[in-house]
Amino acid sequence: METTERVRLLVEPLIAEADATLYDLEYSGGVLRITVDREGGADIGTIGTLTRKISHLLDEEDPMPGHYTLEVSSPGLERTLRTPEHFVGAVGSLVSIKTRPGVDGDRRVKGTLVSADDASATIAPTDAAPGTTRVLALADISRARTVFEWGAAPKPGSGSKPGAAPTSAPSAKKKAAKS
């Protein structure tokens, strides 16, 4: 059994106890990354508690050879999409995708993820005509993530100060009445 599968079997019950779900698990370069999610988002308290419990469990069970660094985190606003389940869960979201070299079309695609299944993802690119979609095999995607777009910040001096009464220019009737 692969290292990540052994760890997955150990940590999933702990994560479920915290009313959370295992979003992703990755072991690379001596770093074990466990990403957890929860309805409404995983807060720092949940992450801290799970980090302590998972660390203690891994020390007891010793499922991995050698030294490693444990990282427990939430997926955040811009989530990495690596598995078919990630893509399916992100349907309707704005995504940024980079394809592998040699795939037909632009290597970088940004748009709304229209649909996804075990083998492919369909994107409506933001820079294409309405109704245009691009289907990509998941195997042809080298990197993908959801994109969070911040709203435009108000221009300096364009808004009123907090607590100030709204201002408006005097109407033509008021001007005429004062004359």
Side-chain angles (χ1 to χ4, degrees):
M1 184 183 302
E2 191 177 312
T3 299
T4 55
E5 192 56 33
R6 283 194 305 268
V7 172
R8 178 183 303 278
L9 292 172
L10 287 171
V11 302
E12 278 184 327
L14 278 180
I15 294 169
E17 270 179 31
D19 291 326
T21 57
L22 180 63
Y23 181 79
D24 203 4
L25 190 143
E26 181 181 18
Y27 180 60
S28 176
V31 178
L32 175 63
R33 287 182 188 86
I34 299 175
T35 309
V36 297
D37 202 5
R38 185 178 187 175
E39 185 70 33
D43 61 15
I44 193 72
T46 302
I47 299 295
T49 299
L50 283 172
T51 300
R52 286 185 296 279
K53 287 183 176 184
I54 291 170
S55 177
H56 182 71
L57 178 64
L58 295 179
D59 286 346
E60 283 181 2
E61 298 293 328
D62 200 22
M64 300 170 43
H67 299 285
Y68 61 91
T69 301
L70 173 65
E71 292 180 2
V72 179
S73 66
S74 73
L77 289 175
E78 294 193 341
R79 298 166 180 241
T80 300
L81 306 174
R82 292 187 332 117
T83 67
E85 294 82 14
H86 292 166
F87 283 91
V88 169
V91 168
S93 299
L94 183 63
V95 295
S96 175
I97 294 175
K98 182 177 179 185
T99 63
R100 298 191 187 288
V103 174
D104 287 342
D106 292 338
R107 283 202 63 206
R108 297 179 194 279
V109 182
K110 183 177 180 182
T112 302
L113 184 59
V114 177
S115 67
D117 57 33
D118 287 345
S120 65
T122 303
I123 298 97
T126 54
D127 61 354
T132 303
T133 60
R134 181 171 177 194
V135 178
L136 293 169
L138 296 185
D140 289 341
I141 297 173
S142 67
R143 269 187 301 199
R145 65 176 171 79
T146 60
V147 176
F148 180 78
E149 289 192 333
W150 296 92
K155 293 181 181 177
S158 66
S160 62
K161 293 183 179 160
T167 59
S168 62
S171 69
K173 286 183 179 179
K174 288 182 182 176
K175 283 184 181 177
K178 289 183 180 180
S179 303

